Amino acid sequence: MKNICVIPARYASTRLPGKPLADICGKPMISRVYDRAKLAKNVSEVIVATDDERIFQAVEKNSGRAMMTRADHKTGTDRLAEVAEKFPDADVIVNVQGDEPLIEPSLIDELIEQFADADLQMATVATEMTDAAEMQNPNNVKVIFDKKNNALYFSRSLIPYARNEGKAKVYKHIGIYAYRRNFLLKYAKMESTPLELSESLEQLRALENGYKIRVIKSDCKFVGVDTPEDLQLVNEIYSKMEG
């Protein structure tokens, strides 16, 4: 199997402008994400997909591979599909967010390994939540899944509703995805669906069209960078890692 990891990266960010180029211990964040993804054993190639020349140059300067994509894409999936179209020999496309500089390479490998199931078209990641305030935050997407770890639903609301306390765990969805290439191209062309539009969660389009999404449960600690405080924390973690 030929598997490609794609890291979509846009310059614009409401809370942290120029986020992909934010410095993390002497390297731009996008290069930190790239370097981590390159450590995955099951990935043939890692590519940063961007519509910004500054990001493109930063990646190439750090010996990475970047690809310029159209600026008018409405979603990250559309940008991902544009890259996938250029690799007809690829089997699985993994989407790693450009603001996850602590992405665990083994998790990328584990996602790819799910596709030993010939019927599987899409997979993602979840981690258990224990903090009540975090559970109630609509920015934290929750996911519930069946006994075979296939997603039943994703929501910004707290799911499941705990009418009977302690009967079910709450899982936070982590926005890392893997797709069979042919499914990704089809998925990107599907019309938006009612639940997707209501929750503003693109993955619901796949469920509403009857496709399964495999959910890997992970104990990895994810520190996505959305604010200056997140950036400071990640710099502190990298200082210890490289110290």
Side-chain angles (χ1 to χ4, degrees):
M1 282 174 59
K2 180 175 182 179
N3 310 307
I4 296 174
C5 180
V6 181
I7 308 168
R10 295 174 64 249
Y11 189 84
S13 172
T14 305
R15 288 177 287 185
L16 198 61
K19 181 164 67 169
L21 301 183
D23 182 83
I24 298 178
C25 291
K27 268 192 177 185
M29 178 164 63
I30 191 62
S31 293
R32 291 293 188 183
V33 180
Y34 182 95
D35 291 346
R36 295 286 292 174
K38 284 285 285 185
L39 295 174
K41 297 175 182 177
N42 293 335
V43 169
S44 310
E45 207 154 356
V46 179
I47 301 162
V48 173
T50 186
D51 58 4
D52 191 281
E53 186 66 29
R54 291 164 291 187
I55 296 172
F56 182 91
Q57 295 294 342
V59 173
E60 297 231 318
K61 183 179 178 182
N62 281 278
S63 303
R65 182 177 180 186
M67 182 179 294
M68 290 296 292
T69 54
R70 285 168 30 201
D72 61 346
H73 288 307
K74 293 181 180 179
T75 68
T77 302
D78 293 336
R79 194 176 309 282
L80 199 68
E82 181 183 345
V83 176
E85 285 175 349
K86 294 176 170 62
F87 292 89
D89 58 339
D91 296 295
V92 174
I93 309 288
V94 181
N95 179 4
V96 171
Q97 300 303 314
D99 58 3
E100 290 281 353
L102 294 168
I103 181 66
E104 178 55 52
S106 63
L107 188 58
I108 297 173
D109 287 329
E110 190 177 353
L111 269 174
I112 292 170
E113 287 164 6
Q114 302 305 305
F115 290 86
D117 178 349
D119 295 326
L120 186 66
Q121 302 296 325
M122 183 174 175
T124 191
V125 179
T127 187
E128 186 180 347
M129 301 173 78
T130 54
D131 182 79
E134 191 178 16
M135 292 179 191
Q136 296 296 338
N137 187 341
N139 293 319
N140 295 324
V141 177
K142 276 68 72 174
V143 58
I144 50 176
F145 38 85
D146 64 21
K147 290 183 177 181
K148 294 183 178 179
N149 292 330
N150 293 317
L152 294 169
Y153 194 64
F154 297 84
S155 183
R156 296 185 183 279
S157 297
L158 176 59
I159 53 173
Y161 173 74
R163 181 170 181 176
N164 297 304
E165 291 285 345
K167 298 299 182 182
K169 296 178 180 178
V170 176
Y171 284 90
K172 177 181 178 180
H173 175 233
I174 306 300
I176 304 162
Y177 295 97
Y179 311 83
R180 287 199 193 276
R181 175 186 177 272
N182 291 341
F183 171 74
L184 171 61
L185 297 180
K186 183 192 303 183
Y187 174 56
K189 293 177 182 177
M190 291 176 188
E191 292 289 331
S192 294
T193 51
L195 294 175
E196 172 193 359
L197 293 171
S198 178
E199 295 255 18
S200 191
L201 294 176
E202 200 176 358
Q203 63 270 35
L204 290 173
R205 187 190 313 171
L207 293 185
E208 286 182 86
N209 278 284
Y211 292 95
K212 292 180 180 178
I213 303 176
R214 181 71 42 79
V215 181
I216 294 174
K217 290 180 283 187
S218 174
D219 293 327
C220 295
K221 299 302 178 186
F222 298 89
V223 185
V225 177
D226 288 314
T227 65
E229 292 75 20
D230 295 334
L231 183 61
Q232 180 180 344
L233 175 59
V234 168
N235 265 283
E236 291 170 2
I237 293 170
Y238 262 91
S239 292
K240 292 176 183 176
M241 285 168 56
E242 298 183 340

